[in-house]
Amino acid sequence: MSIDTHKSLIRVFWIGIALIYISVFIALYYKIILPFSEWTISDWLINYEDGGFKRRGLLGGFLFLIQDYIGMKLQVQILLLQILVLSGILFGMFLFTKKYKVDFFYLLIMISPYILCFPALTIRSGGRREILLILLVIGYSLAKKSRSNDVILLLLYLIFLLVHELGFFYLPFLVWVNYLKWNKINFKYLLCLIVSTLLTVVLIYFLGSDINNGESLSILKERGVVFNKENIFELEYFFDFNFVLKHKISFLIHIAELFIIIFQMGYYIYLFKRTFFNTYIIGNVICVLWVAPLFYLGIDWFRWVYIYSSLLFVIFSCSCLEINDLKGIQFNKNIMIKPIYLIVSVFFYLFIFLHLQHDTLFILIKKILT
C-alpha cells in the first residue's frame, strides 16, 4: 500500500470518527432540552451547598460559581464541558496516530465499542464524569517526560477523586503509565501517589456527607434545573445481589467482554512486541484485582469496562508502538494478522453494540420525532 493510500485511509477513518462524535454532541444537546435521561446531567451537579463537604461535590460547586458570576445556565455549562472533554479525548487519540507508527489493526482496536465508540453507543450514559479521568491519562501519556508533569498528574488525579471517588479503583493505570514514561518505577513518587490517594479517599469516606441531604433538588430548581426522572439525587443505591442474579447473563457478558478486550490487545502485543507481553499480563492481573471491588460497589458494569478498556488502550499504545520519526502519519510494516482476527473482532463489536443498546437509542429517536 502506497504512502498516499495510507494517508487517505487515515483521513477517511478520522472523518468517519468526527461524524460519529458530531452525532454524539447532538444527542447530548437533546438530552439537555428533553426529559429523556438525566444521569449525564445530574451527576455533574452534586454540590457542597446541600450538606457541605461530600463525595463528588467539587465540580457542582464550581459550576455554581460560574453561574453566579457570568449567568451561564448549568445545563449549558455541562454540555460545553462534555463537548470539550470528549473532543480532547478524540484529539488525543488522533495524536496517537501521529506520534506512533500504527496499522490497520491498531485502528480496529481504537474504534472498539468500549473505547472510542462508547459515547455513541450508550446514549443513556454517554458523557459522564469518567471522561475526565480518561482525558487526564491520555494527556499525561502524550506530555513530555518531566517531574513537573508527574506532579500535575498527581494533583489533577486528587482533584478528580473529589469529583468521583470511584476513580480510586483505576489508580494502577496511573502507576503503569508513569512507569512506561520513565521506563522504571519511581518508588518515592509511587509512595506519594498511593499515600495521598488513600488519605483523600479516607477523608471522603469519613467526612463526606450524602449526595442528597434533602435540599439538592430544591437548590437546583432555584438555579433552573428540574429533574423529572432518572437522576442521581433520588437514587437510593444498595448492592442487590438478587438484581444481579435476575440479570446474570447480561452481567456475565460484561465480564466476558472485558477479558476479550484484554486478550485482543494482548494478542497484538504477543505478535509484535513480545518483550512487553509478560509485563502486560502482570499489569492486567494487578489492575483487574484492584478494580474488582468496583463491580460490587456499582452495577454500572458497562461503564467500568469502558474506563478500564480506554485506559488500557493508552497503556497499549505507549508500550507496543514505535515512535513515528517522520512527518505525517506512518503505518507500521507489521506482517498481517490472520483474517480470523479481523472477522472475530467485527462480530465481537457487533455483539457489544447489541448488548449496550438496551433500546435507549430508539427511545431517544422516538422522543425527538414526537
Side-chain angles (χ1 to χ4, degrees):
M1 189 181 293
S2 67
I3 295 177
D4 289 339
T5 304
H6 289 164
K7 291 182 177 179
S8 297
L9 176 60
I10 288 287
R11 189 179 299 113
V12 171
F13 174 84
W14 282 114
I15 289 174
I17 295 298
L19 291 175
I20 290 174
Y21 269 67
I22 289 173
S23 68
V24 171
F25 299 153
I26 293 173
L28 290 174
Y29 167 75
Y30 276 109
K31 288 177 71 173
I32 282 179
I33 65 175
L34 293 175
F36 166 62
S37 175
E38 294 154 341
W39 288 113
T40 53
I41 300 175
S42 63
D43 63 352
W44 292 87
L45 295 176
I46 302 168
N47 58 85
Y48 294 153
E49 288 195 14
D50 179 25
F53 178 74
K54 66 175 69 172
R55 59 192 179 96
R56 312 182 190 183
L58 179 64
L59 186 58
F62 181 72
L63 297 179
F64 283 9
L65 287 176
I66 294 177
Q67 185 183 40
D68 292 338
Y69 280 100
I70 67 175
M72 183 181 291
K73 292 183 179 179
L74 294 173
Q75 300 95 317
V76 175
Q77 292 185 59
I78 295 170
L79 176 62
L80 291 177
L81 189 56
Q82 290 170 330
I83 290 176
L84 286 174
V85 176
L86 286 173
S87 297
I89 292 173
L90 191 62
F91 183 65
M93 295 290 190
F94 172 74
L95 290 181
F96 281 159
T97 61
K98 296 283 285 185
K99 180 178 180 180
Y100 302 109
K101 294 180 182 180
V102 303
D103 56 29
F104 176 78
F105 293 97
Y106 175 82
L107 299 180
L108 178 68
I109 295 172
M110 179 183 283
I111 61 171
S112 166
Y114 273 119
I115 302 177
L116 205 54
C117 287
F118 182 83
L121 300 181
T122 54
I123 301 300
R124 184 171 181 265
S125 296
R128 298 184 72 169
R129 289 162 299 171
E130 57 264 17
I131 59 179
L132 294 169
L133 178 61
I134 295 171
L135 179 60
L136 172 61
V137 176
I138 290 176
Y140 175 77
S141 71
L142 290 167
K144 67 178 183 179
K145 182 172 65 175
S146 70
R147 293 304 178 192
S148 60
N149 283 332
D150 290 350
V151 173
I152 292 173
L153 173 68
L154 171 60
L155 294 177
L156 290 180
Y157 179 62
L158 295 179
I159 292 173
F160 176 78
L161 292 178
L162 297 175
V163 174
H164 202 319
E165 79 285 357
L166 297 184
F168 168 76
F169 293 98
Y170 296 95
L171 174 62
F173 285 101
L174 276 74
V175 176
W176 201 351
V177 75
N178 178 261
Y179 165 76
L180 291 174
K181 185 170 287 291
W182 291 95
N183 199 27
K184 64 178 182 180
I185 298 178
N186 186 330
F187 288 100
K188 290 183 178 179
Y189 181 75
L190 177 60
L191 179 63
C192 183
L193 178 62
I194 293 176
V195 170
S196 59
T197 298
L198 288 174
L199 289 176
T200 302
V201 172
V202 169
L203 177 68
I204 294 171
Y205 181 81
F206 286 102
L207 300 181
S209 62
D210 293 334
I211 288 175
N212 184 2
N213 285 271
E215 302 296 330
S216 290
L217 292 177
S218 59
I219 290 173
L220 290 171
K221 184 176 181 180
E222 293 175 358
R223 290 180 171 272
V225 180
V226 178
F227 294 124
N228 294 316
K229 61 176 181 177
E230 293 191 349
N231 67 83
I232 198 168
F233 298 104
E234 295 179 295
L235 174 68
E236 296 182 2
Y237 176 77
F238 60 94
F239 186 80
D240 186 357
F241 189 69
N242 290 326
F243 179 83
V244 174
L245 289 177
K246 182 179 179 180
H247 303 278
K248 58 182 177 295
I249 299 299
S250 181
F251 282 101
L252 289 174
I253 288 174
H254 283 309
I255 297 298
E257 289 166 347
L258 172 61
F259 282 101
I260 292 174
I261 290 171
I262 293 173
F263 171 80
Q264 185 185 36
M265 296 186 210
Y267 183 61
Y268 187 104
I269 291 173
Y270 179 78
L271 289 177
F272 302 126
K273 193 68 177 292
R274 196 165 300 183
T275 56
F276 183 72
F277 185 71
N278 289 338
T279 303
Y280 179 81
I281 296 298
I282 295 171
N284 272 287
V285 169
I286 295 172
C287 289
V288 168
L289 292 176
W290 193 279
V291 80
L294 182 56
F295 287 79
Y296 171 79
L297 295 172
I299 61 174
D300 294 345
W301 287 15
F302 59 102
R303 291 174 60 207
W304 315 148
V305 175
Y306 164 54
I307 304 170
Y308 191 105
S309 302
S310 298
L311 297 183
L312 184 61
F313 180 78
V314 177
I315 302 297
F316 166 71
S317 300
C318 297
S319 61
C320 73
L321 299 182
E322 297 179 7
I323 297 294
N324 180 16
D325 53 2
L326 301 175
K327 292 184 178 180
I329 296 170
Q330 175 76 15
F331 269 62
N332 266 332
K333 295 182 179 179
N334 290 332
I335 59 173
M336 290 295 290
I337 300 178
K338 292 181 178 180
I340 189 65
Y341 185 84
L342 172 62
I343 296 172
V344 171
S345 295
V346 170
F347 277 98
F348 175 53
Y349 289 177
L350 178 62
F351 179 81
I352 296 177
F353 171 79
L354 297 174
H355 185 212
L356 290 178
Q357 289 311 298
H358 299 295
D359 297 328
T360 55
L361 177 64
F362 306 105
I363 295 174
L364 177 62
I365 294 174
K366 182 178 179 181
K367 283 184 175 290
I368 293 174
L369 294 178
T370 57

